PDB file of all heavy atoms in Angstrom:
ATOM      1  N   PHE A   5      -4.959 181.020-107.066  1.00 98.00           N
ATOM      2  CA  PHE A   5      -5.209 180.622-105.689  1.00 98.00           C
ATOM      3  C   PHE A   5      -6.638 180.039-105.513  1.00 98.00           C
ATOM      4  O   PHE A   5      -6.864 179.132-104.711  1.00 98.00           O
ATOM      5  CB  PHE A   5      -5.026 181.822-104.766  1.00 98.00           C
ATOM      6  CG  PHE A   5      -3.608 182.350-104.710  1.00 98.00           C
ATOM      7  CD1 PHE A   5      -3.324 183.620-104.302  1.00 98.00           C
ATOM      8  CD2 PHE A   5      -2.537 181.520-105.117  1.00 98.00           C
ATOM      9  CE1 PHE A   5      -2.011 184.088-104.251  1.00 98.00           C
ATOM     10  CE2 PHE A   5      -1.235 182.011-105.095  1.00 98.00           C
ATOM     11  CZ  PHE A   5      -0.956 183.285-104.708  1.00 98.00           C
ATOM     12  N   ILE A   8      -6.201 176.540-106.578  1.00 98.00           N
ATOM     13  CA  ILE A   8      -5.608 175.750-105.497  1.00 98.00           C
ATOM     14  C   ILE A   8      -6.700 175.457-104.460  1.00 98.00           C
ATOM     15  O   ILE A   8      -6.840 174.299-104.006  1.00 98.00           O
ATOM     16  CB  ILE A   8      -4.384 176.492-104.873  1.00 98.00           C
ATOM     17  CG1 ILE A   8      -3.265 176.472-105.919  1.00 98.00           C
ATOM     18  CG2 ILE A   8      -4.036 175.865-103.542  1.00 98.00           C
ATOM     19  CD1 ILE A   8      -2.065 177.345-105.494  1.00 98.00           C
ATOM     20  N   PRO A  14      -2.460 171.423-107.752  1.00 98.00           N
ATOM     21  CA  PRO A  14      -1.952 170.972-106.485  1.00 98.00           C
ATOM     22  C   PRO A  14      -1.102 171.998-105.712  1.00 98.00           C
ATOM     23  O   PRO A  14      -0.572 172.953-106.322  1.00 98.00           O
ATOM     24  CB  PRO A  14      -1.000 169.759-106.861  1.00 98.00           C
ATOM     25  CG  PRO A  14      -0.554 170.069-108.239  1.00 98.00           C
ATOM     26  CD  PRO A  14      -1.661 170.890-108.929  1.00 98.00           C
ATOM     27  N   ALA A  15      -1.079 171.852-104.443  1.00 98.00           N
ATOM     28  CA  ALA A  15      -0.251 172.711-103.569  1.00 98.00           C
ATOM     29  C   ALA A  15       0.013 171.920-102.291  1.00 98.00           C
ATOM     30  O   ALA A  15      -0.696 171.002-101.946  1.00 98.00           O
ATOM     31  CB  ALA A  15      -0.927 174.010-103.292  1.00 98.00           C
ATOM     32  N   THR A  16       1.131 172.323-101.591  1.00 98.00           N
ATOM     33  CA  THR A  16       1.416 171.716-100.285  1.00 98.00           C
ATOM     34  C   THR A  16       0.821 172.571 -99.232  1.00 98.00           C
ATOM     35  O   THR A  16       1.280 173.629 -98.906  1.00 98.00           O
ATOM     36  CB  THR A  16       2.938 171.640-100.152  1.00 98.00           C
ATOM     37  OG1 THR A  16       3.504 170.825-101.205  1.00 98.00           O
ATOM     38  CG2 THR A  16       3.278 170.956 -98.791  1.00 98.00           C
ATOM     39  N   PHE A  17      -0.348 172.065 -98.716  1.00 98.00           N
ATOM     40  CA  PHE A  17      -1.089 172.885 -97.708  1.00 98.00           C
ATOM     41  C   PHE A  17      -0.367 172.797 -96.331  1.00 98.00           C
ATOM     42  O   PHE A  17       0.099 171.722 -95.958  1.00 98.00           O
ATOM     43  CB  PHE A  17      -2.508 172.369 -97.593  1.00 98.00           C
ATOM     44  CG  PHE A  17      -3.427 172.954 -98.622  1.00 98.00           C
ATOM     45  CD1 PHE A  17      -3.361 172.530 -99.915  1.00 98.00           C
ATOM     46  CD2 PHE A  17      -4.318 173.995 -98.254  1.00 98.00           C
ATOM     47  CE1 PHE A  17      -4.197 173.156-100.889  1.00 98.00           C
ATOM     48  CE2 PHE A  17      -5.124 174.549 -99.262  1.00 98.00           C
ATOM     49  CZ  PHE A  17      -5.107 174.153-100.517  1.00 98.00           C
ATOM     50  N   ARG A  18      -0.381 173.937 -95.667  1.00 98.00           N
ATOM     51  CA  ARG A  18       0.176 173.954 -94.299  1.00 98.00           C
ATOM     52  C   ARG A  18      -0.939 174.266 -93.286  1.00 98.00           C
ATOM     53  O   ARG A  18      -0.764 174.031 -92.057  1.00 98.00           O
ATOM     54  CB  ARG A  18       1.213 175.110 -94.202  1.00 98.00           C
ATOM     55  CG  ARG A  18       2.378 174.914 -95.093  1.00 98.00           C
ATOM     56  CD  ARG A  18       3.294 173.825 -94.622  1.00 98.00           C
ATOM     57  NE  ARG A  18       4.510 173.683 -95.441  1.00 98.00           N
ATOM     58  CZ  ARG A  18       5.440 172.776 -95.163  1.00 98.00           C
ATOM     59  NH1 ARG A  18       5.316 171.967 -94.156  1.00 98.00           N
ATOM     60  NH2 ARG A  18       6.506 172.726 -95.909  1.00 98.00           N
ATOM     61  N   TYR A  19      -2.039 174.812 -93.743  1.00 98.00           N
ATOM     62  CA  TYR A  19      -3.145 175.198 -92.896  1.00 98.00           C
ATOM     63  C   TYR A  19      -4.416 175.382 -93.712  1.00 98.00           C
ATOM     64  O   TYR A  19      -4.344 175.848 -94.843  1.00 98.00           O
ATOM     65  CB  TYR A  19      -2.823 176.507 -92.147  1.00 98.00           C
ATOM     66  CG  TYR A  19      -3.953 176.956 -91.214  1.00 98.00           C
ATOM     67  CD1 TYR A  19      -4.113 176.431 -89.968  1.00 98.00           C
ATOM     68  CD2 TYR A  19      -4.900 177.931 -91.735  1.00 98.00           C
ATOM     69  CE1 TYR A  19      -5.183 176.821 -89.165  1.00 98.00           C
ATOM     70  CE2 TYR A  19      -5.944 178.342 -90.882  1.00 98.00           C
ATOM     71  CZ  TYR A  19      -6.116 177.758 -89.609  1.00 98.00           C
ATOM     72  OH  TYR A  19      -7.135 178.185 -88.870  1.00 98.00           O
ATOM     73  N   MET A  25      -6.538 179.637 -96.121  1.00 98.00           N
ATOM     74  CA  MET A  25      -5.711 178.490 -96.419  1.00 98.00           C
ATOM     75  C   MET A  25      -4.297 178.984 -96.477  1.00 98.00           C
ATOM     76  O   MET A  25      -4.022 180.158 -96.689  1.00 98.00           O
ATOM     77  CB  MET A  25      -6.155 177.889 -97.749  1.00 98.00           C
ATOM     78  CG  MET A  25      -6.118 178.872 -98.891  1.00 98.00           C
ATOM     79  SD  MET A  25      -6.862 178.206-100.368  1.00 98.00           S
ATOM     80  CE  MET A  25      -6.945 179.693-101.384  1.00 98.00           C
ATOM     81  N   ALA A  26      -3.333 178.089 -96.292  1.00 98.00           N
ATOM     82  CA  ALA A  26      -1.908 178.426 -96.365  1.00 98.00           C
ATOM     83  C   ALA A  26      -1.195 177.288 -97.021  1.00 98.00           C
ATOM     84  O   ALA A  26      -1.425 176.111 -96.702  1.00 98.00           O
ATOM     85  CB  ALA A  26      -1.341 178.652 -94.987  1.00 98.00           C
ATOM     86  N   PHE A  27      -0.348 177.616 -97.990  1.00 98.00           N
ATOM     87  CA  PHE A  27       0.389 176.595 -98.709  1.00 98.00           C
ATOM     88  C   PHE A  27       1.728 177.142 -99.164  1.00 98.00           C
ATOM     89  O   PHE A  27       1.986 178.368 -99.121  1.00 98.00           O
ATOM     90  CB  PHE A  27      -0.456 176.171 -99.967  1.00 98.00           C
ATOM     91  CG  PHE A  27      -0.978 177.264-100.790  1.00 98.00           C
ATOM     92  CD1 PHE A  27      -0.246 177.882-101.681  1.00 98.00           C
ATOM     93  CD2 PHE A  27      -2.317 177.688-100.567  1.00 98.00           C
ATOM     94  CE1 PHE A  27      -0.738 178.980-102.470  1.00 98.00           C
ATOM     95  CE2 PHE A  27      -2.842 178.708-101.309  1.00 98.00           C
ATOM     96  CZ  PHE A  27      -2.080 179.377-102.287  1.00 98.00           C
ATOM     97  N   ASP A  28       2.679 176.226 -99.485  1.00 98.00           N
ATOM     98  CA  ASP A  28       4.016 176.620 -99.844  1.00 98.00           C
ATOM     99  C   ASP A  28       4.007 177.431-101.178  1.00 98.00           C
ATOM    100  O   ASP A  28       3.286 177.042-102.132  1.00 98.00           O
ATOM    101  CB  ASP A  28       4.891 175.374-100.018  1.00 98.00           C
ATOM    102  CG  ASP A  28       5.176 174.746 -98.705  1.00 98.00           C
ATOM    103  OD1 ASP A  28       5.037 175.366 -97.665  1.00 98.00           O
ATOM    104  OD2 ASP A  28       5.729 173.612 -98.748  1.00 98.00           O
ATOM    105  N   ASP A  29       4.813 178.507-101.194  1.00 98.00           N
ATOM    106  CA  ASP A  29       4.968 179.215-102.420  1.00 98.00           C
ATOM    107  C   ASP A  29       5.741 178.285-103.427  1.00 98.00           C
ATOM    108  O   ASP A  29       6.715 177.615-103.058  1.00 98.00           O
ATOM    109  CB  ASP A  29       5.787 180.464-102.198  1.00 98.00           C
ATOM    110  CG  ASP A  29       5.731 181.458-103.343  1.00 98.00           C
ATOM    111  OD1 ASP A  29       6.261 181.138-104.424  1.00 98.00           O
ATOM    112  OD2 ASP A  29       5.122 182.489-103.187  1.00 98.00           O
ATOM    113  N   ILE A  30       5.342 178.301-104.656  1.00 98.00           N
ATOM    114  CA  ILE A  30       5.912 177.444-105.705  1.00 98.00           C
ATOM    115  C   ILE A  30       7.367 177.870-106.058  1.00 98.00           C
ATOM    116  O   ILE A  30       8.140 177.035-106.516  1.00 98.00           O
ATOM    117  CB  ILE A  30       4.994 177.383-106.931  1.00 98.00           C
ATOM    118  CG1 ILE A  30       5.245 176.094-107.703  1.00 98.00           C
ATOM    119  CG2 ILE A  30       5.131 178.554-107.799  1.00 98.00           C
ATOM    120  CD1 ILE A  30       4.168 175.764-108.774  1.00 98.00           C
ATOM    121  N   HIS A  31       7.653 179.132-105.831  1.00 98.00           N
ATOM    122  CA  HIS A  31       9.008 179.670-106.083  1.00 98.00           C
ATOM    123  C   HIS A  31       9.510 180.265-104.806  1.00 98.00           C
ATOM    124  O   HIS A  31       9.594 181.506-104.687  1.00 98.00           O
ATOM    125  CB  HIS A  31       9.043 180.677-107.230  1.00 98.00           C
ATOM    126  CG  HIS A  31       8.553 180.181-108.554  1.00 98.00           C
ATOM    127  ND1 HIS A  31       9.142 179.056-109.206  1.00 98.00           N
ATOM    128  CD2 HIS A  31       7.539 180.592-109.331  1.00 98.00           C
ATOM    129  CE1 HIS A  31       8.499 178.852-110.320  1.00 98.00           C
ATOM    130  NE2 HIS A  31       7.519 179.686-110.448  1.00 98.00           N
ATOM    131  N   PRO A  32       9.973 179.422-103.822  1.00 98.00           N
ATOM    132  CA  PRO A  32      10.294 179.950-102.534  1.00 98.00           C
ATOM    133  C   PRO A  32      11.537 180.900-102.577  1.00 98.00           C
ATOM    134  O   PRO A  32      12.530 180.629-103.230  1.00 98.00           O
ATOM    135  CB  PRO A  32      10.626 178.696-101.726  1.00 98.00           C
ATOM    136  CG  PRO A  32      10.880 177.571-102.718  1.00 98.00           C
ATOM    137  CD  PRO A  32      10.092 177.935-103.911  1.00 98.00           C
ATOM    138  N   ALA A  34      12.847 181.800 -99.642  1.00 98.00           N
ATOM    139  CA  ALA A  34      13.463 181.505 -98.304  1.00 98.00           C
ATOM    140  C   ALA A  34      13.188 180.072 -98.038  1.00 98.00           C
ATOM    141  O   ALA A  34      12.270 179.449 -98.659  1.00 98.00           O
ATOM    142  CB  ALA A  34      12.847 182.348 -97.245  1.00 98.00           C
ATOM    143  N   PRO A  35      13.968 179.428 -97.129  1.00 98.00           N
ATOM    144  CA  PRO A  35      13.715 178.019 -96.797  1.00 98.00           C
ATOM    145  C   PRO A  35      12.280 177.780 -96.416  1.00 98.00           C
ATOM    146  O   PRO A  35      11.740 176.702 -96.760  1.00 98.00           O
ATOM    147  CB  PRO A  35      14.690 177.727 -95.652  1.00 98.00           C
ATOM    148  CG  PRO A  35      15.823 178.729 -95.871  1.00 98.00           C
ATOM    149  CD  PRO A  35      15.123 179.948 -96.407  1.00 98.00           C
ATOM    150  N   VAL A  36      11.731 178.673 -95.681  1.00 98.00           N
ATOM    151  CA  VAL A  36      10.223 178.577 -95.394  1.00 98.00           C
ATOM    152  C   VAL A  36       9.573 179.728 -96.147  1.00 98.00           C
ATOM    153  O   VAL A  36       9.923 180.901 -95.913  1.00 98.00           O
ATOM    154  CB  VAL A  36       9.935 178.663 -93.898  1.00 98.00           C
ATOM    155  CG1 VAL A  36       8.409 178.793 -93.685  1.00 98.00           C
ATOM    156  CG2 VAL A  36      10.491 177.472 -93.154  1.00 98.00           C
ATOM    157  N   HIS A  37       8.659 179.438 -97.042  1.00 98.00           N
ATOM    158  CA  HIS A  37       7.943 180.485 -97.762  1.00 98.00           C
ATOM    159  C   HIS A  37       6.547 180.019 -97.961  1.00 98.00           C
ATOM    160  O   HIS A  37       6.274 179.171 -98.876  1.00 98.00           O
ATOM    161  CB  HIS A  37       8.648 180.790 -99.093  1.00 98.00           C
ATOM    162  CG  HIS A  37       8.057 182.060 -99.805  1.00 98.00           C
ATOM    163  ND1 HIS A  37       8.667 182.586-100.918  1.00 98.00           N
ATOM    164  CD2 HIS A  37       6.949 182.723 -99.558  1.00 98.00           C
ATOM    165  CE1 HIS A  37       7.951 183.640-101.282  1.00 98.00           C
ATOM    166  NE2 HIS A  37       6.884 183.739-100.477  1.00 98.00           N
ATOM    167  N   VAL A  38       5.633 180.507 -97.160  1.00 98.00           N
ATOM    168  CA  VAL A  38       4.254 180.035 -97.160  1.00 98.00           C
ATOM    169  C   VAL A  38       3.409 181.256 -97.474  1.00 98.00           C
ATOM    170  O   VAL A  38       3.686 182.409 -97.115  1.00 98.00           O
ATOM    171  CB  VAL A  38       3.856 179.517 -95.796  1.00 98.00           C
ATOM    172  CG1 VAL A  38       2.378 179.114 -95.702  1.00 98.00           C
ATOM    173  CG2 VAL A  38       4.747 178.297 -95.405  1.00 98.00           C
ATOM    174  N   LEU A  39       2.341 181.025 -98.268  1.00 99.00           N
ATOM    175  CA  LEU A  39       1.363 182.034 -98.587  1.00 99.00           C
ATOM    176  C   LEU A  39       0.065 181.783 -97.768  1.00 99.00           C
ATOM    177  O   LEU A  39      -0.415 180.709 -97.776  1.00 99.00           O
ATOM    178  CB  LEU A  39       1.027 181.999-100.084  1.00 99.00           C
ATOM    179  CG  LEU A  39       2.232 182.209-101.054  1.00 99.00           C
ATOM    180  CD1 LEU A  39       1.758 181.995-102.501  1.00 99.00           C
ATOM    181  CD2 LEU A  39       2.841 183.564-100.891  1.00 99.00           C
ATOM    182  N   ILE A  40      -0.373 182.830 -97.130  1.00 99.00           N
ATOM    183  CA  ILE A  40      -1.598 182.722 -96.382  1.00 99.00           C
ATOM    184  C   ILE A  40      -2.644 183.536 -97.142  1.00 99.00           C
ATOM    185  O   ILE A  40      -2.476 184.737 -97.415  1.00 99.00           O
ATOM    186  CB  ILE A  40      -1.408 183.309 -94.913  1.00 99.00           C
ATOM    187  CG1 ILE A  40      -0.326 182.420 -94.227  1.00 99.00           C
ATOM    188  CG2 ILE A  40      -2.673 183.378 -94.091  1.00 99.00           C
ATOM    189  CD1 ILE A  40       0.721 183.171 -93.578  1.00 99.00           C
ATOM    190  N   VAL A  41      -3.731 182.866 -97.476  1.00 98.00           N
ATOM    191  CA  VAL A  41      -4.653 183.398 -98.459  1.00 98.00           C
ATOM    192  C   VAL A  41      -6.124 183.269 -98.025  1.00 98.00           C
ATOM    193  O   VAL A  41      -6.518 182.111 -97.567  1.00 98.00           O
ATOM    194  CB  VAL A  41      -4.510 182.594 -99.802  1.00 98.00           C
ATOM    195  CG1 VAL A  41      -5.346 183.175-100.906  1.00 98.00           C
ATOM    196  CG2 VAL A  41      -3.019 182.484-100.192  1.00 98.00           C
ATOM    197  N   LEU A  70       1.897 179.459 -87.730  1.00 98.00           N
ATOM    198  CA  LEU A  70       2.664 178.661 -88.681  1.00 98.00           C
ATOM    199  C   LEU A  70       4.155 178.872 -88.456  1.00 98.00           C
ATOM    200  O   LEU A  70       4.942 177.954 -88.555  1.00 98.00           O
ATOM    201  CB  LEU A  70       2.332 179.070 -90.116  1.00 98.00           C
ATOM    202  CG  LEU A  70       1.072 178.425 -90.720  1.00 98.00           C
ATOM    203  CD1 LEU A  70       0.768 179.022 -92.075  1.00 98.00           C
ATOM    204  CD2 LEU A  70       1.247 176.897 -90.810  1.00 98.00           C
ATOM    205  N   LEU A  74       6.607 175.878 -87.833  1.00 98.00           N
ATOM    206  CA  LEU A  74       7.693 175.621 -88.785  1.00 98.00           C
ATOM    207  C   LEU A  74       9.051 176.019 -88.198  1.00 98.00           C
ATOM    208  O   LEU A  74      10.046 176.066 -88.971  1.00 98.00           O
ATOM    209  CB  LEU A  74       7.414 176.318 -90.084  1.00 98.00           C
ATOM    210  CG  LEU A  74       6.120 175.852 -90.778  1.00 98.00           C
ATOM    211  CD1 LEU A  74       5.682 176.803 -91.902  1.00 98.00           C
ATOM    212  CD2 LEU A  74       6.234 174.415 -91.269  1.00 98.00           C
ATOM    213  N   HIS A 101       2.765 186.785 -97.514  1.00 98.00           N
ATOM    214  CA  HIS A 101       3.958 185.930 -97.611  1.00 98.00           C
ATOM    215  C   HIS A 101       4.577 185.824 -96.226  1.00 98.00           C
ATOM    216  O   HIS A 101       4.804 186.827 -95.500  1.00 98.00           O
ATOM    217  CB  HIS A 101       5.047 186.645 -98.504  1.00 98.00           C
ATOM    218  CG  HIS A 101       4.646 186.744 -99.938  1.00 98.00           C
ATOM    219  ND1 HIS A 101       5.133 185.956-100.958  1.00 98.00           N
ATOM    220  CD2 HIS A 101       3.897 187.711-100.539  1.00 98.00           C
ATOM    221  CE1 HIS A 101       4.696 186.370-102.125  1.00 98.00           C
ATOM    222  NE2 HIS A 101       3.915 187.401-101.933  1.00 98.00           N
ATOM    223  N   LEU A 102       4.836 184.605 -95.817  1.00 98.00           N
ATOM    224  CA  LEU A 102       5.550 184.296 -94.573  1.00 98.00           C
ATOM    225  C   LEU A 102       6.881 183.664 -95.007  1.00 98.00           C
ATOM    226  O   LEU A 102       6.888 182.611 -95.652  1.00 98.00           O
ATOM    227  CB  LEU A 102       4.773 183.276 -93.694  1.00 98.00           C
ATOM    228  CG  LEU A 102       5.540 182.590 -92.572  1.00 98.00           C
ATOM    229  CD1 LEU A 102       6.046 183.586 -91.523  1.00 98.00           C
ATOM    230  CD2 LEU A 102       4.628 181.533 -91.942  1.00 98.00           C
TER     231      LEU A 102
END
Side-chain angles (χ1 to χ4, degrees):
F5 296 159
I8 288 172
T16 301
F17 275 76
R18 299 289 185 176
Y19 177 83
M25 56 189 172
F27 46 83
D28 288 345
D29 195 292
I30 204 167
H31 299 303
V36 171
H37 187 169
V38 177
L39 301 174
I40 297 133
V41 186
L70 277 174
L74 297 169
H101 295 257
L102 165 64

